[in-house]
Amino acid sequence: MTMKSRMLPALGAAVTALAAVIAASAVADLPGAAADCQRSVAIDPQVTVSEAAGTLTFTVYTASCAAAGSVAYTVTDGTARRPGDYQLASGVLQWPAGDTGSRQIRATVSGDVLTEALLEDFTVTLGSPSQSVRIVSASGRGRIFDDDTQLRAATIDHRLCLLEPRTSPPPPTALPSPSPTTKPDPDPGSGTPATPCTIESGNIISSPFGLNTPLTADATVHFRTSDGDLLAGLDYVAVDRTITIPAGATTVAVPIQLLPHAFTQQGRHFDVVISSFSGGQVVSGSARVTVWR
């Protein structure tokens, strides 16, 4: 064996080692990606869709750290049962180092022509996190709104805000006019928007409520916030208004402004309530908006 042939394997090993060092250095330079940090994850606490939607989507939010990690999720039937009402298998969500994106868990909703309970539910639970992952809100409740009934009903979902620190200014956001005739845009997706909260003043979180069947004409519902652990004027801007729901909508998101003090309060909440639905009746008309960090 020549000197040159003996040197080639050693040279190759050195190049591989150098590449690993460079890669590790690049990951360490990412915001929050230090080896000793933990990625925070939280699942939508509640998502409701009409039976006709076909899909029910949970968003799993992430914040605090860009370390590589994974978390498993399990699915448990409630009054909604597989495979007759929905289909969803347990699984694992993964994030490579540097990835700050949310993940989605999609259940297929089985449509039928049976008159059932207005709301049927199941649960998705996060668990078995890797060492670099911290679960701050583990349980999500999926609710299927029966549409095989003459009754039109409205309900509202629990919502969470997972604090995502920023190192640069956020894009400008404006709270829509509080005019009683304002028509919020229907949520085009089956779940809630994947927008984790930030600590800057002016941050907006949307509180979604939905209907079991589309409206044939505009209707109204009264929407108001009330204090829990979080206080109006200190942690959020109170909302007390009549919302116009546009014809054809099944999901509408009402914007609420969160204030910086809210993000010093771990696991605390305020409440939202809907009432006086002109198009039908309200079912399960109160919910919580909870802030995590």
Side-chain angles (χ1 to χ4, degrees):
M1 182 180 296
T2 66
M3 177 72 70
K4 182 178 180 180
S5 63
R6 287 196 300 268
M7 290 178 62
L8 285 175
L11 181 59
V15 170
T16 301
L18 179 59
V21 170
I22 293 172
S25 176
V27 169
D29 288 339
L30 292 168
D36 60 348
C37 75
Q38 282 191 306
R39 177 188 294 272
S40 297
V41 298
I43 189 171
D44 276 325
Q46 195 170 70
V47 179
T48 304
V49 298
S50 169
E51 188 178 49
T55 304
L56 188 155
T57 304
F58 292 94
T59 298
V60 178
Y61 304 95
T62 180
S64 303
C65 178
S70 65
V71 65
Y73 62 88
T74 56
V75 184
T76 306
D77 289 349
T79 52
R81 299 182 180 277
R82 291 166 288 179
D85 296 313
Y86 74 103
Q87 299 177 47
L88 177 62
S90 299
V92 176
L93 304 174
Q94 296 182 327
W95 287 266
D99 187 344
T100 59
S102 60
R103 296 291 185 265
Q104 293 187 320
I105 300 171
R106 293 185 177 90
T108 300
V109 177
S110 304
D112 57 40
V113 293
L114 303 175
T115 300
E116 304 165 297
L118 264 178
L119 285 170
E120 295 185 314
D121 65 356
F122 64 94
T123 303
V124 175
T125 305
L126 304 182
S128 303
S130 62
Q131 185 175 0
S132 59
V133 171
R134 178 177 70 104
I135 300 173
V136 297
S137 185
S139 181
R141 185 185 184 199
R143 300 193 301 174
I144 302 170
F145 223 166
D146 184 45
D147 62 352
D148 301 305
T149 175
Q150 297 300 312
L151 178 66
R152 181 172 285 113
T155 192
I156 191 165
D157 280 332
H158 298 303
R159 192 78 166 93
L160 68 79
C161 167
L162 179 60
L163 175 62
E164 178 186 6
R166 285 184 182 268
T167 56
S168 59
T173 55
L175 190 67
S177 167
S179 166
T181 58
T182 297
K183 295 184 178 181
D185 293 331
D187 181 359
S190 300
T192 52
T195 46
C197 295
T198 57
I199 199 167
E200 290 82 5
S201 176
N203 185 73
I204 307 299
I205 186 169
S206 60
S207 179
F209 66 90
L211 312 178
N212 62 332
T213 58
L215 292 170
T216 56
D218 289 3
T220 59
V221 67
H222 191 77
F223 182 99
R224 66 178 175 86
T225 56
S226 63
D227 290 349
D229 303 312
L230 301 180
L231 306 178
L234 178 64
D235 300 300
Y236 69 97
V237 176
V239 177
D240 189 351
R241 55 185 280 206
T242 296
I243 304 294
T244 298
I245 310 167
T250 56
T251 304
V252 172
V254 179
I256 303 171
Q257 184 176 7
L258 299 177
L259 303 175
H261 186 266
F263 300 112
T264 67
Q265 310 299 307
Q266 170 73 325
R268 299 198 174 186
H269 74 279
F270 62 90
D271 298 318
V272 291
V273 178
I274 58 171
S275 60
S276 304
F277 174 41
S278 68
Q281 75 175 52
V282 172
V283 179
S284 187
S286 62
R288 286 186 171 185
V289 177
T290 305
V291 174
W292 297 95
R293 55 186 173 85

